[in-house]
Amino acid sequence: MLTDKSTIEVIERSRKQVSILFSDIEHSTRHWGRRGDIDARILLDRHNRLLFPVIRKYHGRIIKTLGDSIMAAFTHADDALQAAIAIQQMLSQERERDPFFSLRSRIGIHTGKGLIELDDIFGDVVNVAAKVESSAEANEILITQSCQARLKKHYALQPHNSLKLAGKIKDISLFSCDWSTHPTLTGAIRAHSIIPLLTRHKLEILSYVAASLFTLFFLYQYYFRFLMSDYGINFNSLILSTYLPSDYPTVLILQTLAMVIFSLYLLRIHFISRHLLKLLNGCFAASLIILSFAAINHYFEFPFKKRWYDPLYESQQLFVQVLKNNTQVNKEPDRKSELLHLAPRGEIYIYQGSKTIDNLRWDRVSYSDTQSGWLPRRILPAFGVAEEQLTRTHKFYFRYYDLYGLILAIMAFIWGYTDYKIRPS
């Protein structure tokens, strides 16, 4: 035997009881021939968007779609049968609302042991469920005796013709469910609220999330951290950073973790909420506007300065920004004093005061919650050494063009959310 013992044990552990539901459109070839490829494809996509929320409502997992057929798995037989009843009721309601919607489905359910893997299910339970579905007529639900025996609620079931399968010694007893007499199960289900996902959709969603997270980091770096410092808010207590307000390593770690978790989530799901997609699309549109608007204001200077560059908000405190990599942060205003830190270019500290010693200005900054440090303003000129600026002191300003960018971003978000086009899956 080529398969080792450990592999056999893994396969045996994956074998669990499951109820498999197959749904298939009756005479689908006729629809494609009569309506043409485009109309028939739109009709099929509409059919799927009706059925997917039903399957999710009753705790089912969509395993795969095979053309016009859907395979779903349920832990409990009652959930599978209730989903089947709700599917037929949903399709019936749609046919009543729209005379051009003429799709009718047949459904088969079987309960048994299956080999359950991450994205698929294998075994005799799948094969039998597919054969049960192919034995059904349009608008009919057929279940096997194995499924019927595990039902805990009462349903309108009637004995049906037995199913004879090749390789099976005994015929399989079938039951038909009269779903039309059952109380409606579609009341709390919102049609089209769940959208199936393909690989290209997942990549698109990841790009939306990545762009949104990058924009959040940009906003934090250039806006939020200055506003937060004015109100004494920071992320220092969470992890890693000890500077005020430059705790961006913490923000980067949190955003990276969020991206990893969301990516793992996308790998495991096969459908997603329509509102979540619209929200992500709105965030993506707003991100493009924010980044584009910031780039325009960075590289171009406009002549209408009065209501463009004038400040609307001025920070309550000063900030010291490092202009050169590895600038020393000393314990005292002296180059020979204890070195606390080598600050990278772009690091920003809260200003606490200054001293001038031997024509060199030192700025006192908040190095941690309990400790202060001193930063030299520049390198003094000497023989063979040019004068070089090391830091600059400034306030944070929220200007008119920041307000205009915010308004445009809000408009872009609303447009992206409301104008999202759902493509066929």
Side-chain angles (χ1 to χ4, degrees):
M1 191 173 184
L2 297 178
T3 306
D4 57 45
K5 185 178 179 180
S6 61
T7 303
I8 295 173
E9 290 176 351
V10 170
I11 294 175
E12 287 179 344
R13 285 198 298 269
S14 70
R15 193 165 181 264
K16 299 177 182 177
Q17 184 170 286
V18 64
S19 293
I20 299 295
L21 179 151
F22 270 95
S23 171
D24 188 46
I25 298 174
E26 181 75 6
H27 301 309
S28 58
T29 306
R30 184 187 303 169
H31 289 289
W32 286 83
R34 186 175 73 249
R35 291 177 175 266
D37 291 347
I38 296 177
D39 286 349
R41 182 65 182 88
I42 293 173
L43 196 63
L44 175 61
D45 195 67
R46 182 177 169 187
H47 166 271
N48 290 347
R49 297 191 196 285
L50 288 170
L51 267 59
F52 286 174
V54 174
I55 293 171
R56 184 177 183 181
K57 167 68 176 179
Y58 291 100
H59 315 292
R61 182 162 67 101
I62 299 170
I63 305 301
K64 62 182 71 174
T65 56
L66 306 169
D68 53 6
S69 177
I70 296 174
M71 174 184 167
F74 299 80
T75 303
H76 304 291
D78 283 279
D79 288 337
L81 184 52
Q82 288 178 20
I85 294 171
I87 285 173
Q88 296 291 19
Q89 291 176 345
M90 181 73 77
L91 293 174
S92 176
Q93 293 167 10
E94 193 71 9
R95 288 192 296 269
E96 292 177 2
R97 282 194 294 265
D98 183 359
F100 294 100
F101 185 85
S102 57
L103 299 185
R104 302 174 187 274
S105 288
R106 56 192 184 205
I107 298 175
I109 305 173
H110 176 54
T111 301
K113 291 292 184 72
L115 300 176
I116 301 177
E117 298 187 358
L118 182 63
D119 297 318
D120 211 343
I121 298 178
F122 304 92
D124 189 59
V125 64
V126 177
N127 300 328
V128 173
K131 293 294 185 181
V132 173
E133 173 267 308
S134 62
S135 300
E137 300 292 336
N139 296 338
E140 189 174 32
I141 300 172
L142 291 184
I143 68 172
T144 61
Q145 187 177 21
S146 174
C147 177
Q148 183 267 342
R150 289 169 175 81
L151 295 174
K152 297 179 180 179
K153 299 179 181 179
H154 175 72
Y155 303 92
L157 299 177
Q158 296 293 333
H160 193 271
N161 297 332
S162 296
L163 177 64
K164 185 174 180 61
L165 296 177
K168 298 286 185 182
I169 299 175
K170 294 183 178 181
D171 293 350
I172 297 176
S173 299
L174 299 180
F175 294 85
S176 174
C177 177
D178 186 3
W179 56 268
S180 62
T181 62
H182 198 283
T184 181
L185 297 177
T186 62
I189 300 173
R190 298 183 61 185
H192 310 282
S193 62
I194 304 299
I195 297 174
L197 286 178
L198 299 179
T199 301
R200 61 184 175 88
H201 295 151
K202 294 182 179 183
L203 293 175
E204 183 179 324
I205 292 170
L206 280 178
S207 67
Y208 288 177
V209 174
S212 300
L213 289 176
F214 178 79
T215 303
L216 281 176
F217 181 70
F218 168 81
L219 291 173
Y220 172 77
Q221 281 287 89
Y222 291 95
Y223 296 93
F224 293 155
R225 60 176 175 164
F226 297 103
L227 295 171
M228 289 163 59
S229 68
D230 264 3
Y231 295 96
I233 304 171
N234 64 86
F235 292 115
N236 293 340
S237 58
L238 297 180
I239 190 171
L240 205 88
S241 180
T242 56
Y243 319 127
L244 284 174
S246 298
D247 42 16
Y248 60 87
T250 303
V251 179
L252 277 177
I253 289 174
L254 292 175
Q255 290 193 333
T256 303
L257 285 175
M259 190 68 185
V260 170
I261 292 171
F262 191 80
S263 300
L264 294 175
Y265 168 73
L266 271 184
L267 288 175
R268 295 183 61 87
I269 64 174
H270 299 283
F271 49 88
I272 194 169
S273 166
R274 178 181 183 179
H275 291 295
L276 178 57
L277 271 182
K278 294 173 68 175
L279 180 65
L280 290 174
N281 192 65
C283 290
F284 181 69
S287 298
L288 292 180
I289 291 298
I290 290 172
L291 297 177
S292 301
F293 201 77
I296 290 172
N297 280 286
H298 179 76
Y299 291 106
F300 298 95
E301 184 172 343
F302 297 100
F304 39 89
K305 296 185 178 182
K306 183 63 178 175
R307 283 295 178 264
W308 193 260
Y309 297 101
D310 284 357
L312 285 169
Y313 172 84
E314 179 181 315
S315 63
Q316 301 173 15
Q317 50 199 346
L318 287 167
F319 301 95
V320 178
Q321 181 177 356
V322 178
L323 303 178
K324 181 179 174 60
N325 267 328
N326 297 323
T327 296
Q328 293 184 3
V329 182
N330 296 91
K331 189 172 184 179
E332 300 295 337
D334 188 339
R335 291 189 180 277
K336 297 180 180 179
S337 70
E338 179 185 345
L339 177 65
L340 297 177
H341 178 60
L342 290 175
R345 183 176 181 272
E347 186 66 278
I348 296 176
Y349 300 90
I350 295 178
Y351 174 83
Q352 291 186 326
S354 62
K355 284 184 180 180
T356 301
I357 301 175
D358 296 332
N359 294 324
L360 177 61
R361 173 175 164 173
W362 292 78
D363 292 321
R364 186 167 177 258
V365 297
S366 297
Y367 175 70
S368 69
D369 291 335
T370 59
Q371 190 177 15
S372 297
W374 292 84
L375 279 163
R377 173 58 63 92
R378 57 194 173 94
I379 295 176
L380 293 175
F383 181 75
V385 178
E387 181 176 336
E388 186 175 5
Q389 191 81 9
L390 298 178
T391 65
R392 73 182 182 94
T393 304
H394 63 89
K395 283 193 171 187
F396 165 73
Y397 296 99
F398 187 83
R399 304 180 186 277
Y400 273 97
Y401 67 75
D402 295 316
L403 176 63
Y404 303 149
L406 178 61
I407 294 172
L408 286 175
I410 293 173
M411 294 172 63
F413 174 83
I414 295 172
W415 173 82
Y417 182 87
T418 57
D419 196 54
Y420 181 72
K421 299 294 188 300
I422 299 174
R423 293 169 292 175
S425 300

